[in-house]
Amino acid sequence: MSLVDLKERLNDLKKKALAEITETEDLKKVNDLRVKLLGKKGPITEILRGMRDLSSEQRPQIGSFANTVRDDLTQAIAQRREKLEIIKTAKKLEKEKIDVTLPGAAVKAGQPHIIEQVISQIEKLFLGMGYQIVDGPEIEEDHYNFEMMNLPKDHPARDMQDTFYINDQILMRTQTSPVQARTMEKHDFSKGPLKMISPGKVYRRDTDDATHSHQFHQVEGLVIDKHVTMADLKGTLQAVAKTIFGESREIRLRPSYFPFTEPSVEVDVSCFKCDGKGCAVCKQSGWIEVLGAGMVHPNVLKMAGIDADVYGGFAFGLGPDRFAMLKYGVDDIREFYLNDMRFLTQFSQKG
C-alpha cells in the first residue's frame, strides 16, 4: 500500500470520526468513541499496519501524519465531552434550582402619621400665604423659652409650663415660641415683614392621661410688620379653621390672658359635629375651643430689639394633637403615641 493510499485512509477515518463525535449527544458514547478510535486495536493502528510496504524514508512521514490525526481526534473528543458535561450540569441545575425570585410576603406602603398629616396641612396653608417655616432646638435656654416671651423669673405663669430642666439655664422647651424669639432677633425688617410658623415637639412635666402628655406638638405663628391689626389675626385664624375643620366653619374670639400677647384671646371654632347647634362634643354650646392668640406684647418686641412704636404684630399657638383629636373624634391623646397599626391605619387620607 502506497503512502498516498495510507494518507487517504487516515483522512477518511478523520472525517467520519469527527462527524460521529459531533453528532454524539451522550457522554458514555463519547467515551466509547475514544476507546474505539484511539485504542491500541483502533482503526488508526489498523491503517498503520500498511506501513510495512513503505520505504524507510516514507514511514516517518506517515507516522507523523497519523499522530496529527490522533491528536485532532483526541482534541475533538475532549471538546465534545466538555460541552456535553456543561449541558448536563445546566439541565441538572435547571431541574434542582430554587427560584429565589418568588415574591415574599407583601409589604404595605406606609403613610405619614396622623399628626404629621395635620402639621403638613397647616404648613401647606401658610406656605401659600407667604410664611416661612422655621425650626429650632428642642433643648433650649431659659432666656429664650421664658424671659424673651415676657416671662421673667418667678413669674407665676411659669408654673403652667413646668418642664424638664437640665440645669438652671437649660431646659426642654415648653413651647415653640423661642424659635420666634431667635428669629425676631435676626430678622432684617428693611427687607420686609416677618411671617413665620414654627412647628415641632414641646415638653412639659404633665401627668399623662387622656388629654395630657409630657410630650406633644405645637405650631406657633408670628407676623411682625407695620399696621398689623386684630382683623388680620382673625382672618388668618378663620383660614386655619376652614382648612382643618371644613369650609362651613366659623370662629369667635374670647378675651383671655397670655404673658406674651396683649390683648390676648381664646379662639373657638363652630362645632363641626352639630354645625353649631349644640351636641355632646361641644357640650351643647355650639363652639369648641381650639387655640390661643393675640397681638404681640410690646415687651416681647423690645426685648428682640424691635421698635414697638413702629412695628406690631400677632401671634398664635395651636396643637396639632388637639386638632387631630377634635377632627377625628379621638378621645385619648395617648393613642397617637402607642404605634398601634389598627389605630393609625384608620387615617389613610391625608388631612
Side-chain angles (χ1 to χ4, degrees):
M1 186 173 291
S2 68
L3 178 63
V4 175
D5 292 336
L6 289 176
K7 283 188 174 182
E8 286 181 356
R9 288 185 64 184
L10 287 170
N11 274 327
D12 288 343
L13 171 63
K14 177 181 176 180
K15 184 177 180 180
K16 291 177 181 178
L18 289 175
E20 191 172 0
I21 292 169
T22 303
E23 294 172 0
T24 302
E25 299 291 340
D26 185 87
L27 274 171
K28 184 177 181 305
K29 289 182 179 180
V30 172
N31 290 327
D32 291 344
L33 277 174
R34 181 183 61 80
V35 175
K36 172 185 172 182
L37 295 171
L38 305 177
K40 292 181 179 181
K41 298 181 180 181
I44 296 178
T45 303
E46 180 67 25
I47 293 172
L48 289 177
R49 286 175 183 166
M51 290 174 61
R52 59 178 176 268
D53 298 329
L54 300 178
S55 65
S56 58
E57 292 84 5
Q58 292 176 327
R59 286 176 184 175
Q61 295 180 40
I62 197 64
S64 175
F65 187 77
N67 286 335
T68 300
V69 172
R70 186 188 298 275
D71 291 343
D72 290 344
L73 294 180
T74 300
Q75 184 179 2
I77 289 171
Q79 290 175 346
R80 188 60 181 169
R81 181 192 294 118
E82 182 181 3
K83 184 174 182 179
L84 291 176
E85 286 177 346
I86 292 174
I87 294 173
K88 180 181 178 181
T89 302
K91 288 181 178 179
K92 186 176 181 181
L93 290 174
E94 180 68 25
K95 183 179 180 180
E96 297 178 358
K97 74 176 181 180
I98 299 174
D99 186 359
V100 296
T101 65
L102 288 174
V107 179
K108 294 183 178 180
Q111 64 186 34
H113 189 281
I114 180 57
I115 293 176
E116 287 299 321
Q117 292 184 31
V118 173
I119 292 175
S120 178
Q121 197 173 9
I122 294 169
E123 288 179 343
K124 183 177 180 180
L125 168 67
F126 281 100
L127 284 172
M129 293 194 295
Y131 284 60
Q132 58 179 314
I133 300 172
V134 186
D135 294 323
E138 294 178 20
I139 300 176
E140 187 55 273
E141 298 178 28
D142 181 281
H143 172 71
Y144 286 104
N145 193 83
F146 287 128
E147 293 184 29
M148 290 285 286
M149 292 294 105
N150 202 32
L151 284 162
K153 294 187 184 301
D154 300 324
H155 193 291
R158 286 195 181 207
D159 293 341
M160 297 185 294
Q161 296 188 18
D162 194 12
T163 189
F164 304 95
Y165 279 84
I166 297 171
N167 58 41
D168 289 344
Q169 298 301 322
I170 305 297
L171 49 84
M172 302 299 289
R173 69 182 181 186
T174 64
Q175 53 200 356
T176 59
S177 300
V179 182
Q180 300 176 350
R182 291 175 177 273
T183 306
M184 281 191 289
E185 281 186 331
K186 299 175 183 177
H187 188 74
D188 183 356
F189 285 93
S190 67
K191 296 181 180 179
L194 172 59
K195 298 171 66 179
M196 62 171 286
I197 60 169
S198 50
K201 290 194 290 288
V202 299
Y203 306 85
R204 297 183 187 179
R205 197 176 63 82
D206 277 334
T207 300
D208 288 7
D209 58 26
T211 57
H212 296 84
S213 174
H214 65 280
Q215 172 190 298
F216 55 99
H217 296 79
Q218 273 192 346
V219 176
E220 296 200 31
L222 175 70
V223 172
I224 304 292
D225 196 5
K226 300 175 182 177
H227 314 301
V228 178
T229 69
M230 184 70 80
D232 298 315
L233 170 62
K234 184 174 182 180
T236 301
L237 298 180
Q238 183 76 65
V240 173
K242 289 181 179 294
T243 298
I244 301 299
F245 299 111
E247 282 295 326
S248 61
R249 300 281 63 82
E250 297 295 335
I251 64 169
R252 70 177 182 182
L253 309 182
R254 291 181 290 107
S256 185
Y257 167 75
F258 300 111
F260 30 82
T261 53
E262 179 63 37
S264 304
V265 292
E266 295 284 357
V267 182
D268 301 332
V269 62
S270 57
C271 182
F272 41 84
K273 186 73 173 180
C274 65
D275 203 23
K277 297 176 182 177
C279 66
V281 173
C282 61
K283 300 178 181 179
Q284 307 302 324
S285 69
W287 296 93
I288 301 173
E289 180 184 329
V290 290
L291 59 91
M295 304 305 291
V296 179
H297 198 291
N299 288 347
V300 173
L301 296 174
K302 292 174 183 177
M303 284 186 284
I306 300 171
D307 188 345
D309 294 327
V310 177
Y311 292 95
F314 64 76
F316 61 87
L318 60 89
D321 310 54
R322 176 165 172 76
F323 270 36
M325 291 180 72
L326 291 172
K327 182 173 183 177
Y328 295 106
V330 177
D331 56 9
D332 195 325
I333 193 174
R334 291 169 291 192
E335 295 284 3
F336 294 130
Y337 302 105
L338 294 178
N339 292 328
D340 187 335
M341 294 300 294
R342 296 170 299 178
F343 171 79
L344 296 176
T345 51
Q346 297 178 76
F347 311 103
S348 58
Q349 185 176 357
K350 291 193 73 172

